[in-house]
Amino acid sequence: MDESRIYDKVQEAYSAAVKGNGSDYGRKIAAAFGYSEQELASIPDGANLGLSCGNPLALAKLREGETVVDLGSGAGFDVFLAAKRVGAQGKAIGVDMNKDMLERAERNKERTQSANVSFVESRITKVALSDAIANCIISNCVVNLVPEGEKQLVFNEMFRLLKTGGRVAISDILTKKELSPELKGDMALYVGCIAGASQVKEYEQYLHVAGFVDILIVDAHNDLNVYKDKGAQTSTQCCGTDAKNSRYEKESSCCTGKGAEQADALEAIRNDFDNLDFNEWAGSFKIYAIKA
């Protein structure tokens, strides 16, 4: 698939997620992938959009005073959780290319007055941050969205950003077997984190080539079909009778113009998944590695 088209469609889908996914959906997805009720209660409203495929913070073992960088930070879900763990002397930096996500994240930062949190607009293939600034790199269901020809760049950036002895703690979707050409070419499956996912051996190679050691990749055996639970989704309410009750109605403008088109696009993507068993083709994996 054309790389520019991939980026355009990913941007479209994730802008739609900002304006469409409600708190009930986000909570259900996050709980399914290992977040505790205490964690979910501690973050700002609207930070969790239900885009996780694991809990990288469970791997990261963050400590007071550390600097953590979240690649593909979205509305700041993992960044705000990380900020609490590294404390006032630490730093939690989110990196994302989507302006709608970053706008939501910045509003959440203002509401919480999180002094140790910052967000950077950048693609994760060339991050606008200095060398060797992080003790830990986290990422949650994002690397699979990078076009195959650019994936190695992401791992090279992880290595560059980490201090010596730093670690990578990633949750990502990887494929269990070779996808058919039809599945690989399905754009809805791509922005849904399946069609662009790597196999385990490919992920290991990316990490190895970048320079990482002690690489560990483990299947978390989570049920990916939880994404298809329409009972937990609220995006279709966006332009319906419940929209007037949404605290984000004004800031998302989802019921007019471009916002409505994005909501329709997100719903179409979800409908395209109905007859596919995600677990047959892919899984949620935990990835850990060290910069020696």
Side-chain angles (χ1 to χ4, degrees):
M1 287 185 282
D2 178 74
E3 290 180 357
S4 62
R5 181 167 179 259
I6 288 173
Y7 279 117
D8 287 345
K9 290 298 183 182
V10 169
Q11 290 274 33
E12 178 184 314
Y14 282 78
S15 288
V18 176
K19 296 171 172 64
N21 286 355
S23 59
D24 290 343
Y25 177 69
R27 279 183 171 273
K28 184 173 182 66
I29 295 299
F33 290 115
Y35 290 90
S36 69
E37 283 299 320
Q38 182 179 6
E39 287 176 313
L40 296 178
S42 71
I43 59 171
D45 289 343
N48 173 22
L49 299 175
L51 301 174
S52 304
C53 64
N55 182 353
L57 297 175
L59 290 173
K61 300 188 184 303
L62 298 176
R63 296 181 286 270
E64 290 274 342
E66 289 191 318
T67 295
V68 56
V69 175
D70 182 6
L71 298 185
S73 53
F77 181 23
D78 288 321
V79 174
F80 290 109
L81 289 173
K84 295 179 184 298
R85 300 192 184 194
V86 299
Q89 301 305 310
K91 295 180 182 178
I93 305 169
V95 178
D96 206 283
M97 69 176 185
N98 186 281
K99 292 182 183 297
D100 292 315
M101 289 285 188
L102 290 167
E103 287 175 5
R104 173 67 65 83
E106 290 289 356
R107 282 195 292 270
N108 285 329
K109 178 186 173 182
E110 290 174 8
R111 292 187 184 107
T112 58
Q113 298 184 335
S114 303
N116 63 342
V117 167
S118 61
F119 295 97
V120 175
E121 182 179 350
S122 176
R123 288 189 179 181
I124 63 174
T125 52
K126 189 176 181 180
V127 182
L129 291 171
S130 302
D131 296 353
I133 64 166
N135 303 100
C136 185
I137 301 288
I138 62 173
S139 187
N140 197 341
C141 212
V142 173
V143 178
N144 62 74
L145 294 170
V146 176
E148 183 178 357
E150 296 189 356
K151 275 196 172 71
Q152 184 63 58
L153 298 177
V154 180
F155 295 91
N156 294 348
E157 284 294 89
M158 292 179 188
F159 194 86
R160 179 183 69 81
L161 293 169
L162 281 172
K163 301 176 182 179
T164 300
R167 61 214 184 269
V168 165
I170 301 173
S171 294
D172 207 3
I173 289 178
L174 304 182
T175 56
K176 297 177 179 178
K177 56 185 177 181
E178 184 70 23
L179 301 182
S180 68
E182 291 77 17
L183 291 179
K184 282 187 175 182
D186 189 313
M187 186 55 72
L189 288 178
Y190 196 102
V191 299
C193 301
I194 303 294
S198 304
Q199 294 187 50
V200 171
K201 61 183 180 181
E202 293 171 329
Y203 225 87
E204 288 177 337
Q205 183 68 8
Y206 290 136
L207 287 161
H208 177 74
V209 169
F212 287 100
V213 298
D214 296 337
I215 299 166
L216 181 64
I217 302 177
V218 178
D219 189 343
H221 299 291
N222 292 312
D223 180 10
L224 297 187
N225 289 322
V226 68
Y227 293 126
K228 299 192 290 184
D229 185 354
K230 292 181 182 291
Q233 297 171 9
T234 60
S235 65
T236 54
Q237 297 175 356
C238 178
C239 296
T241 57
D242 290 337
K244 63 184 179 181
N245 296 320
S246 170
R247 66 177 298 174
Y248 289 109
E249 179 188 5
K250 291 183 179 179
E251 66 186 47
S252 69
S253 300
C254 67
C255 297
T256 59
K258 186 177 179 181
E261 293 176 5
Q262 291 171 334
D264 288 343
L266 184 62
E267 188 64 16
I269 289 167
R270 287 170 173 164
N271 290 338
D272 200 48
F273 293 160
D274 283 349
N275 297 319
L276 183 69
D277 179 2
F278 290 168
N279 298 317
E280 177 185 352
W281 296 95
S284 169
F285 283 76
K286 298 182 286 187
I287 300 100
Y288 187 88
I290 295 174
K291 178 178 179 177

